[in-house]
Amino acid sequence: MKKRYLAVVAAAAAAVLLAPVTATAATAPAHQLKLRGGLTLYLPFKWRIHGGGTDWIHVVTGKCADPKGGFFTPDCKGFWILGPKAIKLGAEGFGPYDVRRGGYYPASDVQLCPVNGKLARVERVGRHTKGLRQVGPGHKAAYHEFQTRCRTHSGKATNVRFTTREWYLPQTKVLVVDNWKTKGLPTALRNADWN
């Protein structure tokens, strides 16, 4: 009797451990992604997580020719979750990321346009949106949103633009950078947990 009871308890525990994690505010099962400082994100199963540790995580949310490519790999829908090592090199010229200026750019030269790899990302245009955004209960991130216009490699302006959104948690040293206006990302951040 005792062995049978233990077997039933073990089976029930295994079922709980193997069941999809569901965020309280989410309606669908989700990946549970644990980050620095106890931050846990719940991401849709169709989003694929690449990278290890907490410094360079690439979450691919759609079509992508090279999911394991570096930060400036074009034509790859998704966003990046960056930690202290990446943040330390996040300003143009490889200086530390500056939340006041925004624009994570770990390079010293012109990089490819994320939405069209035949073009170059060149200039910020239009208005910037800055403020605070909720990331789980009791935590707010510095938020920055802006547009960048892409040009041909000879410098000719195009109508191709993309929007960058950044959420930065300075105490936890977590920076989320999204160049695709990923649908569902703001909700995933709002519904995060802190343990």
Side-chain angles (χ1 to χ4, degrees), residues 62-91:
K63 185 178 175 185
C64 180
D66 186 9
K68 294 182 180 178
F71 181 79
F72 290 110
T73 300
D75 305 317
C76 184
K77 289 188 175 182
F79 60 91
W80 287 83
I81 303 170
L82 307 164
K85 290 178 186 175
I87 292 167
K88 190 175 180 181
L89 305 172

mmCIF file of all heavy atoms in Angstrom, residues 62-91:
data_model
loop_
_atom_site.group_PDB
_atom_site.id
_atom_site.type_symbol
_atom_site.label_atom_id
_atom_site.label_comp_id
_atom_site.label_asym_id
_atom_site.label_seq_id
_atom_site.Cartn_x
_atom_site.Cartn_y
_atom_site.Cartn_z
ATOM 1 N N GLY A 62 10.170 34.857 -34.963
ATOM 2 C CA GLY A 62 9.621 34.652 -36.298
ATOM 3 C C GLY A 62 10.687 34.155 -37.243
ATOM 4 O O GLY A 62 11.649 33.497 -36.847
ATOM 5 N N LYS A 63 10.555 34.517 -38.499
ATOM 6 C CA LYS A 63 11.486 34.076 -39.538
ATOM 7 C C LYS A 63 12.900 34.595 -39.241
ATOM 8 O O LYS A 63 13.088 35.758 -38.899
ATOM 9 C CB LYS A 63 11.013 34.595 -40.893
ATOM 10 C CG LYS A 63 11.818 34.104 -42.053
ATOM 11 C CD LYS A 63 11.259 34.628 -43.370
ATOM 12 C CE LYS A 63 12.170 34.209 -44.503
ATOM 13 N NZ LYS A 63 11.741 34.785 -45.773
ATOM 14 N N CYS A 64 13.875 33.701 -39.395
ATOM 15 C CA CYS A 64 15.257 34.087 -39.101
ATOM 16 C C CYS A 64 16.206 33.156 -39.851
ATOM 17 O O CYS A 64 16.167 31.943 -39.666
ATOM 18 C CB CYS A 64 15.526 34.003 -37.602
ATOM 19 S SG CYS A 64 17.208 34.478 -37.155
ATOM 20 N N ALA A 65 17.046 33.745 -40.694
ATOM 21 C CA ALA A 65 18.007 32.961 -41.478
ATOM 22 C C ALA A 65 19.137 32.420 -40.610
ATOM 23 O O ALA A 65 19.663 31.340 -40.865
ATOM 24 C CB ALA A 65 18.567 33.812 -42.609
ATOM 25 N N ASP A 66 19.527 33.168 -39.558
ATOM 26 C CA ASP A 66 20.661 32.760 -38.726
ATOM 27 C C ASP A 66 20.373 33.063 -37.255
ATOM 28 O O ASP A 66 20.846 34.054 -36.707
ATOM 29 C CB ASP A 66 21.937 33.482 -39.178
ATOM 30 C CG ASP A 66 23.174 33.004 -38.446
ATOM 31 O OD1 ASP A 66 23.090 31.995 -37.698
ATOM 32 O OD2 ASP A 66 24.229 33.625 -38.617
ATOM 33 N N PRO A 67 19.581 32.203 -36.574
ATOM 34 C CA PRO A 67 19.195 32.470 -35.185
ATOM 35 C C PRO A 67 20.361 32.576 -34.218
ATOM 36 O O PRO A 67 20.254 33.225 -33.189
ATOM 37 C CB PRO A 67 18.306 31.281 -34.815
ATOM 38 C CG PRO A 67 18.019 30.552 -36.051
ATOM 39 C CD PRO A 67 19.014 30.973 -37.085
ATOM 40 N N LYS A 68 21.494 31.946 -34.553
ATOM 41 C CA LYS A 68 22.645 31.987 -33.652
ATOM 42 C C LYS A 68 23.625 33.087 -34.043
ATOM 43 O O LYS A 68 24.716 33.181 -33.497
ATOM 44 C CB LYS A 68 23.334 30.626 -33.623
ATOM 45 C CG LYS A 68 22.444 29.556 -33.003
ATOM 46 C CD LYS A 68 23.133 28.226 -32.919
ATOM 47 C CE LYS A 68 22.187 27.210 -32.296
ATOM 48 N NZ LYS A 68 22.761 25.889 -32.222
ATOM 49 N N GLY A 69 23.224 33.945 -34.979
ATOM 50 C CA GLY A 69 24.070 35.057 -35.405
ATOM 51 C C GLY A 69 24.210 36.102 -34.307
ATOM 52 O O GLY A 69 23.499 36.078 -33.300
ATOM 53 N N GLY A 70 25.116 37.030 -34.510
ATOM 54 C CA GLY A 70 25.379 38.077 -33.526
ATOM 55 C C GLY A 70 24.300 39.147 -33.477
ATOM 56 O O GLY A 70 23.300 39.092 -34.203
ATOM 57 N N PHE A 71 24.517 40.133 -32.648
ATOM 58 C CA PHE A 71 23.524 41.170 -32.388
ATOM 59 C C PHE A 71 23.059 41.881 -33.658
ATOM 60 O O PHE A 71 21.894 42.193 -33.792
ATOM 61 C CB PHE A 71 24.071 42.199 -31.384
ATOM 62 C CG PHE A 71 23.070 43.274 -31.056
ATOM 63 C CD1 PHE A 71 22.048 43.037 -30.157
ATOM 64 C CD2 PHE A 71 23.128 44.514 -31.669
ATOM 65 C CE1 PHE A 71 21.103 44.012 -29.872
ATOM 66 C CE2 PHE A 71 22.202 45.496 -31.387
ATOM 67 C CZ PHE A 71 21.184 45.241 -30.482
ATOM 68 N N PHE A 72 23.934 42.155 -34.592
ATOM 69 C CA PHE A 72 23.567 42.921 -35.786
ATOM 70 C C PHE A 72 23.132 42.051 -36.973
ATOM 71 O O PHE A 72 22.998 42.542 -38.073
ATOM 72 C CB PHE A 72 24.711 43.845 -36.206
ATOM 73 C CG PHE A 72 24.932 44.980 -35.251
ATOM 74 C CD1 PHE A 72 26.066 45.023 -34.462
ATOM 75 C CD2 PHE A 72 24.007 46.008 -35.140
ATOM 76 C CE1 PHE A 72 26.280 46.074 -33.582
ATOM 77 C CE2 PHE A 72 24.202 47.061 -34.268
ATOM 78 C CZ PHE A 72 25.343 47.095 -33.482
ATOM 79 N N THR A 73 22.903 40.764 -36.753
ATOM 80 C CA THR A 73 22.465 39.896 -37.844
ATOM 81 C C THR A 73 21.121 40.391 -38.381
ATOM 82 O O THR A 73 20.157 40.511 -37.624
ATOM 83 C CB THR A 73 22.337 38.439 -37.362
ATOM 84 O OG1 THR A 73 23.616 38.010 -36.897
ATOM 85 C CG2 THR A 73 21.870 37.532 -38.479
ATOM 86 N N PRO A 74 21.047 40.700 -39.689
ATOM 87 C CA PRO A 74 19.786 41.226 -40.236
ATOM 88 C C PRO A 74 18.764 40.119 -40.526
ATOM 89 O O PRO A 74 19.105 38.935 -40.533
ATOM 90 C CB PRO A 74 20.235 41.900 -41.534
ATOM 91 C CG PRO A 74 21.415 41.110 -41.962
ATOM 92 C CD PRO A 74 22.101 40.668 -40.689
ATOM 93 N N ASP A 75 17.541 40.565 -40.797
ATOM 94 C CA ASP A 75 16.467 39.680 -41.244
ATOM 95 C C ASP A 75 16.226 38.514 -40.283
ATOM 96 O O ASP A 75 16.060 37.369 -40.702
ATOM 97 C CB ASP A 75 16.746 39.164 -42.662
ATOM 98 C CG ASP A 75 16.977 40.321 -43.642
ATOM 99 O OD1 ASP A 75 16.219 41.309 -43.581
ATOM 100 O OD2 ASP A 75 17.924 40.241 -44.436
ATOM 101 N N CYS A 76 16.207 38.809 -38.997
ATOM 102 C CA CYS A 76 15.982 37.784 -37.976
ATOM 103 C C CYS A 76 15.051 38.379 -36.923
ATOM 104 O O CYS A 76 15.481 39.156 -36.069
ATOM 105 C CB CYS A 76 17.306 37.359 -37.352
ATOM 106 S SG CYS A 76 17.116 36.013 -36.165
ATOM 107 N N LYS A 77 13.779 38.033 -37.008
ATOM 108 C CA LYS A 77 12.791 38.605 -36.088
ATOM 109 C C LYS A 77 13.012 38.085 -34.676
ATOM 110 O O LYS A 77 13.091 36.880 -34.457
ATOM 111 C CB LYS A 77 11.381 38.276 -36.553
ATOM 112 C CG LYS A 77 10.984 39.017 -37.797
ATOM 113 C CD LYS A 77 9.534 38.826 -38.111
ATOM 114 C CE LYS A 77 9.172 39.700 -39.294
ATOM 115 N NZ LYS A 77 7.750 39.607 -39.626
ATOM 116 N N GLY A 78 13.100 39.004 -33.743
ATOM 117 C CA GLY A 78 13.288 38.626 -32.352
ATOM 118 C C GLY A 78 13.809 39.792 -31.537
ATOM 119 O O GLY A 78 13.799 40.938 -31.976
ATOM 120 N N PHE A 79 14.263 39.491 -30.339
ATOM 121 C CA PHE A 79 14.816 40.513 -29.454
ATOM 122 C C PHE A 79 15.943 39.900 -28.640
ATOM 123 O O PHE A 79 16.126 38.684 -28.608
ATOM 124 C CB PHE A 79 13.724 41.109 -28.549
ATOM 125 C CG PHE A 79 13.035 40.114 -27.649
ATOM 126 C CD1 PHE A 79 13.494 39.860 -26.374
ATOM 127 C CD2 PHE A 79 11.915 39.428 -28.105
ATOM 128 C CE1 PHE A 79 12.856 38.941 -25.552
ATOM 129 C CE2 PHE A 79 11.264 38.510 -27.294
ATOM 130 C CZ PHE A 79 11.733 38.261 -26.022
ATOM 131 N N TRP A 80 16.707 40.773 -27.989
ATOM 132 C CA TRP A 80 17.858 40.350 -27.184
ATOM 133 C C TRP A 80 17.622 40.697 -25.725
ATOM 134 O O TRP A 80 17.068 41.756 -25.404
ATOM 135 C CB TRP A 80 19.131 41.045 -27.659
ATOM 136 C CG TRP A 80 19.617 40.506 -28.966
ATOM 137 C CD1 TRP A 80 19.190 40.851 -30.212
ATOM 138 C CD2 TRP A 80 20.614 39.517 -29.147
ATOM 139 N NE1 TRP A 80 19.862 40.130 -31.164
ATOM 140 C CE2 TRP A 80 20.744 39.302 -30.539
ATOM 141 C CE3 TRP A 80 21.414 38.785 -28.283
ATOM 142 C CZ2 TRP A 80 21.644 38.391 -31.072
ATOM 143 C CZ3 TRP A 80 22.315 37.875 -28.818
ATOM 144 C CH2 TRP A 80 22.423 37.692 -30.198
ATOM 145 N N ILE A 81 18.077 39.814 -24.838
ATOM 146 C CA ILE A 81 18.120 40.083 -23.401
ATOM 147 C C ILE A 81 19.597 40.075 -23.033
ATOM 148 O O ILE A 81 20.290 39.075 -23.225
ATOM 149 C CB ILE A 81 17.348 39.025 -22.605
ATOM 150 C CG1 ILE A 81 15.892 38.963 -23.089
ATOM 151 C CG2 ILE A 81 17.414 39.334 -21.110
ATOM 152 C CD1 ILE A 81 15.113 37.779 -22.541
ATOM 153 N N LEU A 82 20.065 41.207 -22.536
ATOM 154 C CA LEU A 82 21.495 41.411 -22.320
ATOM 155 C C LEU A 82 21.800 41.630 -20.840
ATOM 156 O O LEU A 82 21.019 42.258 -20.129
ATOM 157 C CB LEU A 82 21.953 42.613 -23.146
ATOM 158 C CG LEU A 82 21.573 42.531 -24.634
ATOM 159 C CD1 LEU A 82 21.702 43.877 -25.310
ATOM 160 C CD2 LEU A 82 22.413 41.486 -25.336
ATOM 161 N N GLY A 83 22.960 41.135 -20.416
ATOM 162 C CA GLY A 83 23.396 41.278 -19.034
ATOM 163 C C GLY A 83 24.617 42.165 -18.929
ATOM 164 O O GLY A 83 24.995 42.859 -19.882
ATOM 165 N N PRO A 84 25.280 42.180 -17.758
ATOM 166 C CA PRO A 84 26.366 43.122 -17.473
ATOM 167 C C PRO A 84 27.497 43.158 -18.494
ATOM 168 O O PRO A 84 27.966 44.230 -18.852
ATOM 169 C CB PRO A 84 26.894 42.665 -16.111
ATOM 170 C CG PRO A 84 25.788 41.901 -15.502
ATOM 171 C CD PRO A 84 25.007 41.300 -16.625
ATOM 172 N N LYS A 85 27.956 41.991 -18.972
ATOM 173 C CA LYS A 85 29.071 41.984 -19.936
ATOM 174 C C LYS A 85 28.671 42.674 -21.230
ATOM 175 O O LYS A 85 29.445 43.437 -21.809
ATOM 176 C CB LYS A 85 29.523 40.558 -20.222
ATOM 177 C CG LYS A 85 30.230 39.897 -19.063
ATOM 178 C CD LYS A 85 30.612 38.471 -19.392
ATOM 179 C CE LYS A 85 31.183 37.772 -18.172
ATOM 180 N NZ LYS A 85 31.438 36.354 -18.437
ATOM 181 N N ALA A 86 27.459 42.406 -21.706
ATOM 182 C CA ALA A 86 26.975 43.031 -22.940
ATOM 183 C C ALA A 86 26.694 44.521 -22.734
ATOM 184 O O ALA A 86 26.993 45.343 -23.603
ATOM 185 C CB ALA A 86 25.720 42.313 -23.422
ATOM 186 N N ILE A 87 26.147 44.881 -21.592
ATOM 187 C CA ILE A 87 25.818 46.279 -21.289
ATOM 188 C C ILE A 87 27.093 47.114 -21.208
ATOM 189 O O ILE A 87 27.116 48.279 -21.619
ATOM 190 C CB ILE A 87 24.997 46.361 -19.982
ATOM 191 C CG1 ILE A 87 23.613 45.737 -20.210
ATOM 192 C CG2 ILE A 87 24.877 47.797 -19.490
ATOM 193 C CD1 ILE A 87 22.826 45.478 -18.936
ATOM 194 N N LYS A 88 28.160 46.504 -20.704
ATOM 195 C CA LYS A 88 29.440 47.209 -20.558
ATOM 196 C C LYS A 88 30.007 47.654 -21.905
ATOM 197 O O LYS A 88 30.783 48.597 -21.981
ATOM 198 C CB LYS A 88 30.429 46.289 -19.845
ATOM 199 C CG LYS A 88 31.701 46.941 -19.416
ATOM 200 C CD LYS A 88 32.555 45.970 -18.620
ATOM 201 C CE LYS A 88 33.847 46.624 -18.188
ATOM 202 N NZ LYS A 88 34.695 45.692 -17.433
ATOM 203 N N LEU A 89 29.594 46.994 -22.998
ATOM 204 C CA LEU A 89 30.097 47.313 -24.341
ATOM 205 C C LEU A 89 28.986 47.883 -25.234
ATOM 206 O O LEU A 89 29.083 47.824 -26.457
ATOM 207 C CB LEU A 89 30.651 46.044 -25.000
ATOM 208 C CG LEU A 89 31.715 45.295 -24.216
ATOM 209 C CD1 LEU A 89 32.023 43.962 -24.892
ATOM 210 C CD2 LEU A 89 32.962 46.138 -24.094
ATOM 211 N N GLY A 90 27.930 48.447 -24.644
ATOM 212 C CA GLY A 90 26.718 48.762 -25.387
ATOM 213 C C GLY A 90 26.589 50.119 -26.018
ATOM 214 O O GLY A 90 25.561 50.424 -26.625
ATOM 215 N N ALA A 91 27.587 50.980 -25.932
ATOM 216 C CA ALA A 91 27.515 52.287 -26.590
ATOM 217 C C ALA A 91 28.390 52.260 -27.839
ATOM 218 O O ALA A 91 29.346 51.487 -27.927
ATOM 219 C CB ALA A 91 27.990 53.394 -25.651
#
